[in-house]
Amino acid sequence: LNSRAFSTSSFAQDIQKITVYGSGLMGAGIVQVAAQKGYAVTMVDLDEGSLERGKGIISSSLKRVAKKQFKDDEQKQKEFIEFTFSNIKTNTDSGEGAKDADLIIEAIVENIETKQKLFGFLDKIAPKDAIFASNTSSLPITELAKATDRADRFAGLHFFNPVPQMKLVEVVKSEKTSDETHHALMEFSKKLDKTPVTCKDTPGFIVNRLLVPYLLEAIRLVERGVATSADVDTAMKLGAGMPMGPFELSDFVGLDTLKSIADGWREGGQVDPNLVAKIKTLDDLVSAGNLGRKTGQGFFPY
Ligand code: CAA
Ligand code: NAD
């Protein structure tokens, strides 16, 4: 028993080099929390402009974290920020970024073909024993893993926005994910000071399976003329202790993301279709390009 416990824990410690694909809202946050803890992280995106945007996200978030951790010590704040950035490399070459990774975390656009294409490509380049993880909000891990020959070393690793602040990570175990891979990702999450929970590969895992129908029902409630969006937000904040009301939160998550989750589940047929029925207000906002905070306009202006 001892030797088994020893071998699994040493396996978990073998994660040292991490490559994160996607330097958007989520990718940048994941890069940041890993680099803060001393992991050697490579951040990959399609072009230098996206990487620069990602570094900007990290920089402004790190300033908040540094101020909190080292209140009145500006020198320590500076050292902490420099230490974190010294652990981050960037690359626009997908293959180069994967060559010596122990763990690859994918946080690119929520599109199954794009993700499968990337994983299929990386499977041929990354070390044979590297673990692959997807930060997908709504796509089946089993389907993504099919693009590779390493379904046993493939899992979901679902972080929450804003990554540096939200304590949860959902570790999603498909039927093929090995216990070793699951264990390594649980340990890795703890090393990032996150609290991991284990979940089966089902639509929305835990949080989104409950959160998305709630956000959609809030929009329907306003469509029915029950209350204004501002009053719904106030009600849920003051009456149910939510840090953000459902409209503020939908804008924060991104209305395109919310719509693509609902559309995907409806088309996939695994979720009660009434829970994810089409909503005109949401479709109209997305087709007008009003995607929430990131575009300056969603349900509310920013
Ligand atoms: N980086 C680092 N720290 C951050 C941060 C960031 N980007 N954003 C906020 N924070 C920290 C602040 O430093 C502050 O820390 P302390 O309280 O320890 O001092 C704390 O968060 C609160 O921040 P603010 O006072 O500036 O603002 P706030 O009180 O309005 O909180 C919030 C902001 C943390 C985002 C809060 O409103 C919240 O928790 N909202 C709900 C977020 C949520 O539900 N996220 C999940 C979305 S669903 C998802 O992500 C899954 C998916 O697949 C779609
Ligand atoms: P985003 O649009 O902010 O960032 C995506 C980034 O991926 C962009 O910078 C884009 O250039 C890059 N990209 C696209 N194709 C690429 C490729 N082949 N190689 C490298 N980079 C590529 O998106 P986001 O909000 O950070 O979401 C990323 C993932 O995380 C999605 O799967 C999403 O569902 C999931 N997620 C989002 C949230 C959220 O609240 N936004 C929360 C949890 C999980």
Side-chain angles (χ1 to χ4, degrees), residues 21-27 44-46 50 94 107-110 114-115 118 135-137 158-159 161 253 257:
Y21 286 82
S23 62
L25 209 57
M26 297 304 292
V44 182
D45 208 305
L46 299 172
S50 303
S94 295
I108 68 167
V109 282
E110 187 76 343
T114 315
K115 286 187 195 280
L118 177 66
N135 184 55
T136 179
S137 299
H158 189 215
F159 290 83
N161 180 22
V253 166
T257 304

Side-chain angles (χ1 to χ4, degrees), residues 42-295:
T42 302
M43 176 164 80
V44 182
D45 208 305
L46 299 172
D47 51 62
E48 288 297 337
S50 303
L51 288 171
E52 281 307 312
R53 249 194 333 271
K55 281 195 259 180
I57 296 173
I58 295 174
S59 182
S60 50
S61 171
L62 264 183
K63 279 184 202 144
R64 300 172 78 147
V65 177
K67 264 200 190 130
K68 219 169 8 179
Q69 277 191 17
F70 307 102
K71 265 197 173 66
D72 301 316
D73 192 336
E74 280 192 20
Q75 182 57 29
K76 282 247 168 71
Q77 291 176 21
K78 196 167 158 261
E79 281 167 18
F80 171 74
I81 292 171
E82 279 170 6
F83 167 77
T84 304
F85 270 113
S86 75
N87 294 326
I88 303 174
K89 285 191 209 147
T90 59
N91 212 320
T92 52
D93 182 331
S94 295
E96 199 54 44
K99 270 186 187 154
D100 61 352
D102 302 316
L103 169 63
I104 285 178
I105 305 176
E106 170 277 313
I108 68 167
V109 282
E110 187 76 343
N111 176 294
I112 191 155
E113 284 89 25
T114 315
K115 286 187 195 280
Q116 281 173 330
K117 199 171 151 213
L118 177 66
F119 278 125
F121 169 74
L122 295 177
D123 193 40
K124 296 187 184 72
I125 288 164
K128 278 223 155 355
D129 56 355
I131 294 176
F132 282 16
S134 174
N135 184 55
T136 179
S137 299
S138 64
L139 301 171
I141 298 303
T142 308
E143 293 306 311
L144 295 176
K146 279 184 186 161
T148 72
D149 284 328
R150 62 179 88 206
D152 58 326
R153 292 184 166 270
F154 200 114
L157 194 66
H158 189 215
F159 290 83
F160 293 81
N161 180 22
V163 178
Q165 178 67 14
M166 304 305 278
K167 296 294 274 181
L168 185 71
V169 177
E170 290 173 332
V171 180
V172 183
K173 200 169 182 294
S174 85
E175 279 180 15
K176 298 216 165 132
T177 307
S178 69
D179 289 343
E180 288 78 8
T181 299
H182 171 253
H183 175 76
L185 292 175
M186 294 293 281
E187 292 304 307
F188 171 67
S189 304
K190 288 180 203 160
K191 286 197 181 141
L192 302 184
D193 284 343
K194 302 292 182 199
T195 302
V197 291
T198 302
C199 181
K200 281 192 185 168
D201 185 20
T202 54
F205 315 129
I206 302 171
V207 172
N208 283 342
R209 185 66 178 77
L210 297 172
L211 188 62
V212 169
Y214 153 73
L215 296 176
L216 298 175
E217 187 57 16
I219 307 172
R220 290 191 201 101
L221 186 146
V222 170
E223 277 189 349
R224 292 195 296 269
V226 174
T228 64
S229 44
D231 278 353
V232 172
D233 274 6
T234 301
M236 292 312 289
K237 281 194 280 191
L238 302 187
M242 306 283 194
M244 285 177 171
F247 290 91
E248 194 186 356
L249 183 55
S250 296
D251 278 352
F252 186 65
V253 166
L255 301 185
D256 51 341
T257 304
L258 183 60
K259 176 174 154 52
S260 87
I261 296 174
D263 290 350
W265 288 357
R266 196 170 52 247
E267 285 150 23
Q270 292 159 288
V271 171
D272 177 350
N274 292 319
L275 284 177
V276 284
K278 267 193 160 306
I279 303 180
K280 186 172 176 346
T281 313
L282 182 62
D283 290 352
D284 288 352
L285 281 166
V286 172
S287 53
N290 295 326
L291 308 181
R293 231 184 238 211
K294 61 185 166 189
T295 61

